[in-house]
Amino acid sequence: MTIAHRFDYERPDSLSGVVSALARYGGKARVLAGGTDLIGWVREDVLAPEALIDLKALDELNMLHCADGVLQIGALVTFNQLLESDAVRRDFPLVFEMAGRVASNGVRNRATMAGNICSAVPCNDSGPVLLVYEATLQIAGPNGTRDLSALEWFLGPRKTALQSDEVLTGITLKKPAGRHGGCWLKLGRYKGEDLAQASTAILMLENGETRIAFGSVAPVPLRAPAMEALLKGRTADAALIAQAQSMLPELIAPITDVRASREYRLHMVGVMLERGLPAAAERLNGNGPDYGTTLI
Amino acid sequence: MDDFSVVGTSPSRIDGLDKITGAAKYVDDLDFGPGLLYAEIVESPYAHALIKEIDTSEAEKMPGVVKTVTAKDFPLTFGLYMKDRYIFARDRVRFVGEQVAAVIARDAGSAKRAAKLVKVTYEPLTPVLDLAEALKPDAALVHPDLENYEHCPWFFPRPKTNIAHWRKTRRGDVEKGFAEADVILEDTYTVPRYAHCAIEPHVIAGYYDAAGRLTLWASSQSPYTQRNIIAEALSPMGLTHKDIRVITPYVGGGFGGKAGVSMEIFGAVLAMAVKGHPLKIRWSRAQEFYNTSQRQGVMAHVKMGVKKDGTITALEHTLHWDAGAYAEYGANVVNAAGLSATGPYRVPNVKIDSVCVYTNLSPTGAYRGFGYSEFHFGLESHITRIAKQIGMDPVEFRRKNAIAEGDTLAYGAKMNPGNMQEAINRCAKAIHWGRKETSEHPDRVIGKDISLFWKAPAMPPNASSAAFVKFNEDGSLNVMVSGMELGQGYMTVMAQIAAEVLTVPVDKIRVETPDTDRNAYEWQTVGSHVTWSCGNAVKNAALDAREKIITTVHRALGFPEESIYLENEQVKCQTQPEFSLPLCEFVINGIQTKDGTYRGGPIIGSGIFMPEFTSATGDPETSQGGHPNVHYTVGAAGIILEVDRKTGKMDVLRTVLAVDVGQAINPVLVEGQIVGGLLQGLATVMYEDIRYDANGKLLNPNFTDYKIPTALDIPQETIPIILETPQPDGPFGARGVGEHTMIPAASMIANAVEDALGIRIKTMPVIAEKIALANLGVEYDEVKGNTMGFCYAKKPDEYPFGILT
Amino acid sequence: MKTHTITFRLNGETCTLDVEANELLLDVLRDKVGVKSPKAGCERGDCGSCTILLEGKSVRSCLILAVEVDEQEITTVEGLSRDGLSPLQQAFLNHSSFQCGFCAPGMVLSVTELLGKNPHPAKEEIQEAIAGNLCRCTGYQPIIDAVLELTKK
């Protein structure tokens, strides 16, 4: 049913056209890619932009490119494109594992990773994975282009470092040196599509470093440096895992809402560590459950 | 069973091709031309408030707006069993989302924009959001004028209270029964509200033509009953049944939610407000959740006494139902439960109190199971517990006490046929009951359960069905009935019944969707009763047509009537083995006799069915006397459930359900009800979780946060078992089955969780979070926050059932 | 409000229409073009009954503006049954896979997309492909069984 709000629509055929359109609307326009968040928000009167600026004429933003250990994800690349890419699965397995649990197939055919992090809802799936891969974001604006670390992107619920006259054009991930293994765990209410009530991304590197990021348990996705320091260079046996779990109340701040209680989210992040850390370690060594196996 | 040629087989659904090609039309698919108007409803933000003023002037100035409508234009009430529901809220609003005004415009966007400009001034009142508060002597009243409402004679509202109805069943002497017991167990179980979630939302289109005739196109389970309710509601405006026509095409799921009248009333009155213009309203998914009808929540207290040998001696079952703002349909759910809350067991001493309580939440009504799913949760949980308490196998306990044909029911009538023992045995075998199983995964444990179920259709004692059949020149048949194809396969089953009698193959039979001007009467497609009731009507109509065929042949050709029979679309005669006359040659044009004149003409048949043995004359204080339920369908179900201790997540490894349908007219369709109904039942206990806030606003009116199962959430294996002990008064022995398959699911999960983990959960839903927290010793209700799934704020054990004596 | 002229291919035929920016593709297909098989079940992308194939991929037409599909190719279930039932549709009929039928068009398209990529899917792959199409009636098993039977090697 109808969108009551009336707005303009433009589909520029160049990136500079997009940037100048945004400037023309003085911050009152929104960029449209897949639209799986944006259209619903406009229909439900959560947002009332004066215009939607459609990126989909920009073929250069639809590029998914992996070479020399660098994964370049254009702003128009959908979650299914990520899921179906052999290069992503082989070299950036956490992206593969996360993409497969986003929404459902029909949404993944449209929804983009770029859009996911621009929406920046606290439960967004891409955030924790981009944080452990320490991705870089490419942004275009009236003053040219700039790069920003994913670690500086998320500022609050639905708030990012993107200015209203800028557009996110791409996301770059660099493959860590040496071997790596990881685990993406997402708490949903059942096996079907769900927004995360809690999530954990674990990336273990050959050099003994373990990177951990949590999602949906704080206003923004976040890394856990204190826990990473605890785990660095050590085998995550039962005792160490228990120690890591005990740190959680200081590191994350889940809320109680209709989806889950604070207590269950906190408990489940503990279970994610308990099952995810050993799985990541096994995968680092070339064993362990296939990426995409549900552990919780 | 018996030797039938079509009954008992599974021909392809006759609506299958329509649905697989996209040809099937639902109400929203119908076109009404460029003049179609749209309406947007202005809704109350308060659960309980006086309406001081409604100012529609700004809205009326908006471009595209044709008219605005409020209660002052239609100050009328309506309802199925009680007229307590307002077309537009008049003087006061009673739930968040209740309709206060409507804006009619030339396009949906204009209606939506203009509706925001309607200014309503409210004076908030204390909302009644807690059952215990609602029943206090000095409670705020949801319906101060309750005593003035018309209602059917077998409802007993209590004026000046929030009690819409109270069904009391008393048999024997419970005190004596408890005294005889060796063990007594009593406890409280809670079940919150649930939403139907048919994938097609409610839709209504209306057209009040220049001659004053009102036509409605409704996504409906009950076109005739809707016509009746609307005619009664609008009779002060001069309309009668003759002036109203209701047409229903295919319906995208009903589950009880499209029975009776909820938003359909707007199609009627708003069409009248814009005479000469067609108008359509399609409900949003959110409105589906909060402004149609929901399944009632219930607070249940079960007290059962048993002997050491497992014999049940007494049962006291108290049910306090959260019926919401309007109980015009929901009060019958309370009634039905009040008559049958013994469950399918022999209980000599019974005390049931089933109380329908008004609250300032969404109205409630019919939902698949009609009160039975709700009370079975507590009862079947309780039965397993008490069996274990006396050291008896819970399945053996059920075998010992299960009701059988001829036993006396709680209200004094006798139980009909149904092989519960076979159902129990088949289910127990299918899940290897008695064999403990272990999971490969270190954190997972496996539990099992067998739960029983029964249900009778809950109908007035004179609910009836009728059917017309007519032949065509090619020997094909039209069956004109007003039962509704909701997906259950109704059309195919009616065709099979007609086919069995008239020997016309099913693929030459059309069953027409309802039209109250053209098709014969059907009370409602609810209660799992249309196979039985309308099936009988169709059978009678087919027999009538067959009678006419035989008479025609006799009159034309002189063969003795008793020797004439039908076979393979031909008329044959036992005394004339060479003779055969294809139906298509005479069913329109008659049979030519020797002198060149014709006998016969168009063959049409009509038939009705109304049970003449039911009555709702039970004593108001005891329910004894009368025969309020036509028959029960019984069965059993079993589950093998794997539970992850740490996460609480559950996986149904196997589920089985055996149901005695008397005669499966179409076994594949019966299996469809088993597989689909079981999943819907499992969904209510495992996933679905209604949440209201402290002001009575529904927080999750969408599929994002009210989770119905996807294809990933199904049991690993579902085993349907069909049993057939014929129903003597059913068409070819058939009994109903549509609702029953949901009923045992909730207790199966609760009992299997206890079997696996030793944790007993007495509040629905039994979700993973609840289990995981219980395993940690954390009480879920203490941490879930102040959103209520259930209409009582404190611990269930503190609920004052004794508040009503 | 400004109108945009869009041209797209629908089930092999070219459609040209004028639409406003805020018109949803689902509504334009149903109310302006008259193709009724995609349904409005939730209008938030949660139920999948609005599913169409856009450039061969299943998408939620309730979350797409009509203006976005200029020069693109759309397939609905009407396009699959033009010359008789597809083998998939026949398999669904044979298995009584649908009851009320409201989810059927979306399901058919989701499975059509799957079989185009994966001609012999495992049970779990079928479940994943249709996980975004909610069905309240069938319990999904008859839908899955039909696809398994059709595609068994």
Side-chain angles (χ1 to χ4, degrees), chain B residues 67 74 207-208 214 234 237 239 267-275:
Chain B
K67 203 160 194 182
F74 295 97
Y207 181 52
Y208 186 57
L214 177 65
L234 298 181
M237 305 190 70
L239 266 74
V269 302
L270 298 181
M272 290 178 76
V274 289
K275 189 172 186 172

Side-chain angles (χ1 to χ4, degrees), chain A residues 1 43 56 105 109-110, chain C residues 22 43 58 60 68 113:
Chain A
M1 200 207 308
R43 196 181 67 77
K56 292 196 285 293
N105 178 60
N109 274 332
R110 266 319 251 192
Chain C
N22 67 351
E43 297 157 302
S58 64
R60 307 280 176 258
E68 293 180 74
E113 183 197 20

Side-chain angles (χ1 to χ4, degrees), chain C residues 23-148:
Chain C
E23 291 187 61
L24 291 164
L25 179 59
L26 174 66
D27 295 335
V28 166
L29 288 175
R30 289 177 55 77
D31 300 334
K32 285 192 160 157
V33 182
V35 165
K36 305 289 186 180
S37 68
K39 308 292 186 199
C42 75
E43 297 157 302
R44 285 168 54 106
D46 289 331
C47 76
S49 62
C50 69
T51 301
I52 59 165
L53 294 181
L54 181 64
E55 302 287 318
K57 295 196 203 301
S58 64
V59 294
R60 307 280 176 258
S61 64
C62 74
L63 293 180
I64 298 175
L65 303 172
V67 283
E68 293 180 74
V69 304
D70 191 29
E71 295 174 16
Q72 299 208 296
E73 179 129 16
I74 296 176
T75 308
T76 66
V77 113
E78 289 86 341
L80 295 180
S81 3
R82 205 129 280 186
D83 301 313
L85 297 181
S86 68
L88 177 64
Q89 287 169 306
Q90 189 61 56
F92 282 143
L93 259 191
N94 296 346
H95 276 263
S96 262
S97 294
F98 296 106
Q99 293 187 24
C100 83
F102 201 73
C103 75
M107 285 280 185
V108 170
L109 294 176
S110 292
V111 178
T112 299
E113 183 197 20
L114 170 71
L115 298 184
K117 295 190 289 199
N118 183 353
H120 301 283
K123 178 179 164 207
E124 294 72 30
E125 291 171 311
I126 300 169
Q127 287 173 281
E128 179 64 54
I130 63 172
N133 295 90
L134 294 179
C135 171
R136 195 55 157 166
C137 298
T138 66
Y140 302 100
Q141 198 60 56
I143 297 169
I144 297 165
D145 287 344
V147 181
L148 283 172

Side-chain angles (χ1 to χ4, degrees), chain A residues 105-208:
Chain A
N105 178 60
V107 174
R108 288 195 297 269
N109 274 332
R110 266 319 251 192
T112 62
M113 180 185 262
N116 189 228
I117 65 169
C118 287
S119 294
V121 289
C123 59
N124 82 81
D125 292 322
S126 308
V129 171
L130 294 178
L131 293 184
V132 297
Y133 277 115
E134 298 182 350
T136 310
L137 311 170
Q138 286 83 50
I139 297 165
N143 302 323
T145 60
R146 63 182 177 115
D147 281 355
L148 185 69
S149 166
L151 299 166
E152 295 169 61
W153 173 261
F154 295 99
L155 301 182
R158 301 180 48 212
K159 271 188 66 180
T160 69
L162 192 71
Q163 302 301 310
S164 61
D165 57 0
E166 290 181 314
V167 53
L168 177 66
T169 58
I171 303 166
T172 307
L173 283 73
K174 284 205 184 68
K175 195 175 156 189
R179 289 178 293 115
H180 69 276
C183 197
W184 163 253
L185 304 110
K186 173 178 173 178
L187 174 63
R189 284 162 287 190
Y190 59 10
K191 295 179 190 166
E193 89 178 77
D194 202 358
L195 302 173
Q197 286 100 66
S199 62
T200 302
I202 300 169
L203 190 63
M204 265 185 200
L205 309 184
E206 197 179 349
N207 66 5

